[in-house]
Amino acid sequence: MRALDLLEAKRLKVELIKAERLMAKRLKAERLKAAGPPVGAAALALALLTGWTAVGGAGAPRPVAADDGWMLLPTAGAASATAAFFTIRNPGDVPDELTGASWEFGGPVTLKRHLHQGAAGRWEPVPALPVPSRGVLAMSPEDADLMIAAPPPLEPGRRVEFTLTFRHSPPLRLTATVLPPGERPR
């Protein structure tokens, strides 16, 4: 009987080893099945981000854009200065700044912002005007403008050329139409 018990024990041991191996294979397959979707999603995301970067969509600022603007006709007898106004749009994800401007007559052009102080306020020259990402810099007599000291005589309706320079974007060449005081573009 003893020999029979030994054979039975050996057979049970072999079956137990086979069962353990089968369980290990199933466990491995289940782990792979569970890990497959996240690994696949990560690989797809990596491929898409690589493509987006390759075509310049990541990390590269998109240049700002603007339409032609307008400028105030200096009034007779008033201080010899005027202002020009543009609306600048930033379609990109990177903020930009208007850092300077020039115009066809070559005189100084100063970036200026109105600082509100209660019911009053004052104008102050600034080194740059922010153009927020996916936003707009809308110049107006109440907020920001390009101040032009000592302009030559101008007539209403005249189109004057400007070049706007930015921290990240290439320069923009635009025109501004001269409007008499009290008028605004339509």
Side-chain angles (χ1 to χ4, degrees):
M1 259 185 120
R2 206 143 165 89
L4 205 50
D5 287 339
L6 245 80
L7 281 173
E8 183 66 22
K10 230 181 204 183
R11 188 185 64 74
L12 285 173
K13 186 177 180 181
V14 167
E15 283 186 31
L16 183 60
I17 290 171
K18 285 181 183 178
E20 285 176 349
R21 286 182 182 161
L22 181 61
M23 290 287 286
K25 282 183 182 179
R26 286 183 182 163
L27 187 58
K28 187 177 180 181
E30 286 179 21
R31 286 182 183 155
L32 287 175
K33 194 187 298 183
V39 170
L44 177 62
L46 181 61
L48 291 173
L49 287 171
T50 300
W52 185 48
T53 302
V55 298
R62 292 175 58 193
V64 298
D67 297 323
D68 287 339
W70 60 286
M71 66 184 294
L72 291 170
L73 177 69
T75 54
S80 183
T82 188
F85 309 93
F86 296 92
T87 298
I88 303 165
R89 295 174 306 284
N90 183 352
D93 294 324
V94 177
D96 208 339
E97 291 181 320
L98 175 63
T99 57
S102 60
W103 71 320
E104 67 180 77
F105 298 108
V109 177
T110 304
L111 304 178
K112 197 173 72 160
R113 180 162 299 274
H114 186 81
L115 301 173
H116 299 277
Q117 298 170 331
R122 61 184 169 85
W123 288 100
E124 185 173 280
V126 293
L129 293 170
V131 186
S133 59
R134 298 199 179 277
V136 174
L137 166 61
M139 295 183 204
S140 71
E142 296 80 26
D143 185 33
D145 64 57
L146 305 178
M147 185 180 78
I148 302 156
L154 299 167
E155 306 90 35
R158 176 168 182 172
R159 297 178 62 77
V160 180
E161 290 185 22
F162 283 83
T163 301
L164 307 182
T165 54
F166 300 88
R167 185 157 322 282
H168 302 294
S169 297
L172 289 178
R173 290 183 57 119
L174 304 164
T175 60
T177 304
V178 177
L179 299 177
E183 276 193 39
R184 296 271 180 121
R186 295 183 183 108

